[in-house]
Amino acid sequence: MRKRLNHDAMAAVGFIEPWSVKAGSVTGAFLSCVDPKASVRIVALDRDEAEAVDWEIARLSDALSIREYDLGSWAEIPATALHSDVYELSLEILFTRNETEKPVIAIGPLLLNLEPDGRLVAVVEGESHTIAEVRNERWYQLDVSVSPGWVGYRVRRADQQVVAECTIPRVAADITDSICIGGVSDRSHQTLNARLSRIRLISADHETEWRFPTRGPVSDIPPVQQGGPAITLHNAPTFAVASPRFTGEIHDPRLAPDHFDAIHLHDDDFGGFDWAADMTVHIHEDARSGVYALEIKTDRGVERLPFFVRPRVPQSNVAVLLPTATYLAYADEQLPPHRYPWHGSDRAHLFAIDNNFLSLYDTHSDLSGVSLTSSRRPRATLRDDYHYPLSNSPHLLSVDLQLLKFYARHGIAVDVLTDRDLHDEGLESLSPYRLVLTGSHPEYWSSAMMNGLDRYLGSGGSLGYLGGNGFYWVVAFDGDKMELRRGKNDIWSGRPGEMHLSMTGEPGGNWEDRGNRHPQALVGVTYVIMSFGPSRPYRRLKGSYGAEYAWLFDGVGEVFGDGGTVLGGAAGYEVDAVLRSEDTPANLVRLAVADGFDDSFQVRPDLWLVDGEAERAAMRRSDMTIYRHEAGGLVFSASSVAWIGALPAPGDDNDVGRIMLNLVGRFRA
């Protein structure tokens, strides 16, 4: 359905694409704005005061405008597929939750709609005819026969038992339009929530069949027979979902593709906005690596659209690897207040609700989980002033900027990279650096990112894991799109048999369950507890005083991190701890611990502990750790999403800052 952006909550939104670029490159700005005469400039966000940058901005449109966008996926068979005015369309379909009238099939003026009460209603010559009553979550075969004088409908169950069959007269008229399934060609109606599988078009001397691959998302589906026209899929439906042939015996689409040759259409799908760029930003060749933004000044205030600049040639021994996969997973999260109690507010979530944008933490209107997202979206939560309503504190980029500002304040140059750079370039992106630091919440990782980090550590590199709940969810990328599949959890649960990523075919879910990528083996700790209760300070342990790692705590007291922007301390929100496990590096040293969390912090219910409840009680803590891996480098883990937020404010000093200066100082020479 075509819609116009609602700007009640934010006067200007948009995205920069690509959002990670090297100095000397050009990137595009895609905007929607209520003020056609809004002024723009580039500012650096990674300094205590936003600094204007004199880079060329080339305008490609005369004035800014309020943009339109499409929501909802649907399929379209081109008119060129029709070889006769007498034919039958046959398809497999499973309806999910639909609360309003939705289009099922539109063939020119011939409409077949689904009513909220489950009735299939044909509209022929302006008159409505109830064809059948169907149930949600049951596969049907739907046949539509068309001739110059009549149209016929037949509904069969998956076992081929006929549910309903009828023929309706019509005035003879040529129909030269495309056939729309789940939507209408002018995008004037909300699309259908349903699953769609094998489609056939049959005439007296011609038969064309289309089957959906298990790899996706793709927009064009060629027919089984070579040379025929392709079906067009609009707005990125979900691929590799269970079809009528799924028996529950095989859960891997690679082993039985015909069990998963279906797609899931949602009325709130989107495949990335097809906006044209309003302007291009030309980044100087000698630009400093960092976080920048296109600042848009409107008659209602100022909004900033961040992007990331890498150095053309590395300028430091230390790089900060910003977690853009996590930024994208959370982007435009609705956080419906009836499900999640808000302790603050942020205009980005109001904007997402107003425009029905969904993040990978939301569910579609039929209650299935959102598994696809795109970087070609407003990303209203990606801001330097963003506050997470559930914690009423900074989150994601607004926390990570505190690290960059802190180092800049101390005259320490660090290069900025993104995890998408790591995904695309692997080891090459990290190899110039002796130390790589993560952001505060590096939660989402692709196989390519993991492989690149493994190779970096294997070559002797060192890692500072400065967050919590890291290296947790498996994702895949295809161009601007990112895919996630969740198992059973309290965010949303995927359907049985649908854990494999359609982009790569690999198992989704979390890295703990993948067998060879357990975060405990990589960083020595595992995500254990979370809450929006008060954060806690750390207390040094014996290992922090030993000769091998005492340098990290030079000038640091016994207790540190008793303040911070993320819930008031250094250990909080989501924190990690050392499990008793064979995955734990044998030479791991616990440096500090944070405990005494209030009762709102509970150990993850899916975490199996060998000693049961006694061990579960002892796991309500955060462990700061370090170890030297086999190739000689160090892996330091702060183990808390709140850690970076505990760095000192401008003009202040504290022990968290000293630790971060000591860590980087070890690798700058």
Side-chain angles (χ1 to χ4, degrees), residues 195-437:
R195 292 191 165 198
L196 189 63
S197 192
R198 299 179 179 181
I199 301 172
R200 289 187 304 158
L201 200 58
I202 307 163
S203 59
D205 58 356
H206 207 91
E207 178 175 339
T208 307
E209 182 177 4
W210 295 269
R211 295 188 181 184
F212 297 108
T214 58
R215 294 293 179 90
V218 293
S219 58
D220 296 307
I221 306 297
V224 174
Q225 303 84 355
Q226 291 186 350
I231 287 179
T232 300
L233 298 179
H234 300 271
N235 244 358
T238 305
F239 278 71
V241 298
S243 75
R245 286 151 291 282
F246 177 68
T247 64
E249 298 168 282
I250 297 174
H251 283 207
D252 189 339
R254 296 169 295 187
L255 300 179
D258 61 327
H259 288 210
F260 299 90
D261 59 348
I263 60 173
H264 196 146
L265 308 173
H266 303 96
D267 61 14
D268 42 21
D269 277 331
F270 83 103
F273 296 142
D274 58 354
W275 300 350
D278 289 278
M279 53 194 71
T280 54
V281 179
H282 298 253
I283 301 160
H284 286 181
E285 288 192 0
D286 59 353
R288 173 183 59 79
S289 178
V291 182
Y292 297 84
L294 179 73
E295 184 179 85
I296 310 163
K297 187 175 182 180
T298 74
D299 51 11
R300 281 172 42 189
V302 173
E303 295 291 353
R304 293 169 175 165
L305 309 184
F307 61 98
F308 312 101
V309 175
R310 302 168 60 189
R312 193 161 51 89
V313 177
Q315 302 295 311
S316 174
N317 289 330
V318 179
V320 175
L321 186 71
L322 292 174
T324 57
T326 304
Y327 300 163
L328 186 55
Y330 280 89
D332 303 321
E333 185 180 14
Q334 286 202 9
L335 286 178
H338 69 273
R339 184 178 175 192
Y340 303 99
W342 286 22
H343 299 287
S345 186
D346 187 90
R347 59 191 182 275
H349 299 278
L350 301 176
F351 175 80
I353 292 170
D354 287 343
N355 292 282
N356 199 26
F357 292 156
L358 301 175
S359 76
L360 295 182
Y361 284 81
D362 293 307
T363 57
H364 292 288
S365 67
D366 68 356
L367 306 184
S368 59
V370 179
S371 63
L372 285 171
T373 188
S374 167
S375 60
R376 294 184 60 88
R377 63 180 304 154
R379 299 195 300 255
T381 48
L382 184 74
R383 304 195 322 273
D384 59 310
D385 62 344
Y386 172 62
H387 262 58
Y388 197 40
L390 304 191
S391 63
N392 196 24
S393 65
H395 187 212
L396 305 173
L397 178 64
S398 55
V399 175
D400 295 339
L401 286 171
Q402 292 181 237
L403 178 69
L404 298 173
K405 292 176 181 180
F406 171 77
Y407 282 137
R409 210 176 296 141
H410 287 270
I412 297 173
V414 296
D415 286 350
V416 166
L417 305 174
T418 72
D419 50 9
R420 183 58 193 263
D421 301 322
L422 174 58
H423 173 88
D424 290 337
E425 301 174 17
L427 173 63
E428 183 180 348
S429 66
L430 303 183
S431 58
Y433 303 102
R434 295 183 62 199
L435 173 67
V436 172
L437 302 173

Side-chain angles (χ1 to χ4, degrees), residues 536-539 570-571 592-597 620-624:
R536 297 288 296 159
Y538 281 97
R539 181 180 72 259
V593 65
D595 51 20
F597 292 96
R620 293 179 60 244
R621 67 176 195 265
S622 178
D623 290 327
M624 180 178 290

Side-chain angles (χ1 to χ4, degrees), residues 21-299:
V21 289
K22 282 189 175 181
S25 302
V26 177
T27 191
F30 304 77
L31 312 178
S32 181
C33 184
V34 299
D35 183 357
K37 297 181 179 180
S39 62
V40 297
R41 65 172 186 167
I42 303 298
V43 295
L45 298 181
D46 52 3
R47 297 296 184 264
D48 288 329
E49 298 295 333
E51 300 174 354
V53 179
D54 185 23
W55 295 344
E56 179 189 353
I57 301 174
R59 288 186 176 265
L60 305 178
S61 56
D62 295 334
L64 300 179
S65 62
I66 298 176
R67 297 288 197 127
E68 293 185 338
Y69 63 102
D70 285 333
L71 279 185
S73 57
W74 53 289
E76 185 175 15
I77 303 174
T80 54
L82 299 176
H83 295 271
S84 168
D85 58 359
V86 178
Y87 60 88
E88 180 179 88
L89 170 69
S90 178
L91 55 89
E92 297 172 332
I93 192 165
L94 176 150
F95 300 103
T96 60
R97 186 171 179 257
N98 290 277
E99 294 189 331
T100 60
E101 180 186 81
K102 300 288 189 65
V104 178
I105 297 174
I107 307 174
L110 303 176
L111 303 177
L112 182 65
N113 297 325
L114 176 68
E115 298 295 329
D117 60 6
R119 289 180 301 120
L120 284 175
V121 176
V123 181
V124 180
E125 309 292 349
E127 293 187 4
S128 297
H129 307 263
T130 297
I131 303 302
E133 292 187 6
V134 293
R135 293 173 54 185
N136 290 344
E137 302 298 337
R138 173 177 289 183
W139 279 103
Y140 295 94
Q141 182 169 319
L142 179 58
D143 305 318
V144 181
S145 302
V146 178
S147 78
W150 52 271
V151 57
Y153 297 93
R154 182 171 61 243
V155 181
R156 289 180 281 178
R157 294 199 318 218
D159 60 5
Q160 296 302 303
Q161 180 176 339
V162 175
V163 175
E165 190 169 15
C166 69
T167 301
I168 303 170
R170 72 180 186 92
V171 176
D174 290 336
I175 299 175
T176 58
D177 301 313
S178 59
I179 299 173
C180 301
I181 303 172
V184 292
S185 59
D186 65 1
R187 297 172 171 83
S188 60
H189 289 69
Q190 196 176 31
T191 65
L192 180 70
N193 289 322
R195 292 191 165 198
L196 189 63
S197 192
R198 299 179 179 181
I199 301 172
R200 289 187 304 158
L201 200 58
I202 307 163
S203 59
D205 58 356
H206 207 91
E207 178 175 339
T208 307
E209 182 177 4
W210 295 269
R211 295 188 181 184
F212 297 108
T214 58
R215 294 293 179 90
V218 293
S219 58
D220 296 307
I221 306 297
V224 174
Q225 303 84 355
Q226 291 186 350
I231 287 179
T232 300
L233 298 179
H234 300 271
N235 244 358
T238 305
F239 278 71
V241 298
S243 75
R245 286 151 291 282
F246 177 68
T247 64
E249 298 168 282
I250 297 174
H251 283 207
D252 189 339
R254 296 169 295 187
L255 300 179
D258 61 327
H259 288 210
F260 299 90
D261 59 348
I263 60 173
H264 196 146
L265 308 173
H266 303 96
D267 61 14
D268 42 21
D269 277 331
F270 83 103
F273 296 142
D274 58 354
W275 300 350
D278 289 278
M279 53 194 71
T280 54
V281 179
H282 298 253
I283 301 160
H284 286 181
E285 288 192 0
D286 59 353
R288 173 183 59 79
S289 178
V291 182
Y292 297 84
L294 179 73
E295 184 179 85
I296 310 163
K297 187 175 182 180
T298 74
D299 51 11

Side-chain angles (χ1 to χ4, degrees), residues 442-463:
E443 184 177 2
Y444 293 82
W445 283 71
S446 70
S447 289
M449 289 158 57
M450 284 291 203
N451 291 337
L453 182 59
D454 273 355
R455 292 185 64 196
Y456 169 71
L457 295 176
S459 67
S462 293
L463 175 68

